[in-house]
Amino acid sequence: MHSLSDTFQFDTFDVCERTRATTALRLLGQASTSMEEAANEVVEYLYRSFQTPFGKPACALIRCFKTHRLGDLPADLREVALRPLGGSPSDEDVLCLTLLATRGDQPEWNTRFGSRGHKAIPLASTAILARAPMIARLVVQFGLDPHSFLNPEPNPSRSSTPQTLRVFHVEEALDSDFIPAQSSFVVPFGIHSVLGFGGLLPSGDLFCILMFSCVHISPETANLFEPLASEVRRALLGPALRPIFSGKAPVV
C-alpha cells in the first residue's frame, strides 16, 4: 500500500502534502480482516512516510490505541489489564486503553505482543487517569470531559457520539510533565516532539495515533493533522463488520 513517493518532512509539511497523505490513508484498511490489521497498515505507512532530511524515519515510535471495556478484552489482554487492579475485576465496564498497532526503531516496538507496559492500560477512575499524565492530557486536548470519557453511555447512538477529531501535541518532550518516561525513553531515543491525532468511533470508543518524533514538530504543523484522523477512523472501521483483533503478530 505504501508508495515510495509518499515521503514527508515535518518541518516542510503543508496543506498540499496533507492532501497526499489523506489520499493515501483513504486506501488503507479496506481489505483488512480485522481492525488490528488496518491499524498496522496505518502505523506502517506513517512510520515509512515521515522522514528526516537524511532519509531515516523521523519517528522513533508510532502507535495506535483504542479503548475497550475490560469485559470485552480477549483473555490475554484481560489478564494484563487486571494486574494493576489486583487481579480480580471489580467492574467489567472499566475502560482500558489498548494497543492495536505499533511500529518503531526497536524490534520489540514492531508488534503489540512485545509491549511491556502498554498492551492494555486500565483507567478505572479519574484519579487513576491523572496518574497517567500523557493520556490525561490527550483526553483534555481531544476536548473530552474525563468523567464522561471514563463512564461512557452503554450504547451510544451515532447522533449522540461527538464526531470531533482532534490533535494532541507536546512540542518539547524533554522535561515535559506530560511525557513521564524521560530517562527510559525520551532521553535515550532522542524524542523531541510528540504528536497525536484521533477522536471517537461511532461506538463511543476513543482511538488515537501517537507519533514520537526525533525532530521538532511545530504547533502549526501539528494542527495540519486533524483531517488525517478522519481517514484513520475510516481505515479502522473498514467497509463491514469485522473482529477487532487478528490474534497474530504482524510481519514487518
Side-chain angles (χ1 to χ4, degrees):
M1 285 293 186
H2 180 268
S3 168
L4 292 177
S5 64
D6 289 334
T7 56
F8 314 112
Q9 294 179 25
F10 284 115
D11 61 347
T12 58
F13 193 65
D14 58 18
V15 173
C16 292
E17 291 193 334
R18 181 180 69 183
T19 299
R20 284 173 49 207
T22 54
T23 300
L25 286 169
R26 192 168 298 145
L27 301 176
L28 301 183
Q30 301 308 299
S32 300
T33 58
S34 67
M35 185 179 288
E36 176 184 353
E37 187 178 329
N40 275 295
E41 288 187 28
V42 169
V43 297
E44 175 72 15
Y45 171 79
L46 294 172
Y47 179 77
R48 292 189 179 275
S49 294
F50 285 88
Q51 299 182 2
T52 69
F54 306 103
K56 301 292 185 181
C59 294
L61 176 64
I62 301 178
R63 285 183 160 171
C64 177
F65 288 91
K66 177 184 174 295
T67 56
H68 297 264
R69 287 177 64 256
L70 175 64
D72 293 337
L73 289 175
D76 60 328
L77 292 177
R78 178 182 170 83
E79 180 182 352
V80 170
L82 283 175
R83 290 172 194 160
L85 299 176
S88 59
S90 57
D91 186 353
E92 295 291 335
D93 289 327
V94 165
L95 208 61
C96 299
L97 188 67
T98 308
L99 182 61
L100 270 187
T102 177
R103 188 73 168 90
D105 293 346
Q106 301 298 302
E108 63 270 24
W109 293 349
N110 290 308
T111 166
R112 67 177 178 86
F113 298 95
S115 176
R116 295 180 180 178
H118 300 93
K119 290 179 184 176
I121 306 167
L123 305 171
S125 67
T126 53
I128 291 176
L129 178 64
R131 294 201 291 270
M134 185 175 70
I135 301 171
R137 183 64 175 173
L138 183 147
V139 168
V140 171
Q141 287 197 1
F142 274 18
L144 301 173
D145 173 72
H147 178 77
S148 299
F149 167 66
L150 295 179
N151 301 277
E153 296 178 29
N155 297 294
S157 64
R158 286 179 178 266
S159 61
S160 67
T161 302
Q163 296 301 306
T164 303
L165 300 166
R166 298 291 179 90
V167 166
F168 163 77
H169 182 227
V170 178
E171 188 172 5
E172 299 293 340
L174 185 63
D175 296 328
S176 170
D177 293 336
F178 302 122
I179 313 296
Q182 292 286 318
S183 61
S184 61
F185 179 57
V186 173
V187 173
F189 295 102
I191 307 303
H192 193 143
S193 299
V194 182
L195 169 62
F197 54 96
L200 297 180
L201 299 172
S203 63
D205 291 319
L206 174 77
F207 76 95
C208 65
I209 299 290
L210 286 174
M211 307 176 72
F212 298 89
S213 172
C214 297
V215 300
H216 174 253
I217 302 175
S218 70
E220 293 76 17
T221 297
N223 288 334
L224 291 171
F225 278 73
E226 280 191 21
L228 272 65
S230 178
E231 301 307 331
V232 171
R233 180 167 61 189
R234 185 197 305 267
L236 295 180
L237 292 174
L241 292 176
R242 57 188 176 184
I244 302 296
F245 298 100
S246 66
K248 59 184 179 180
V251 177
V252 295

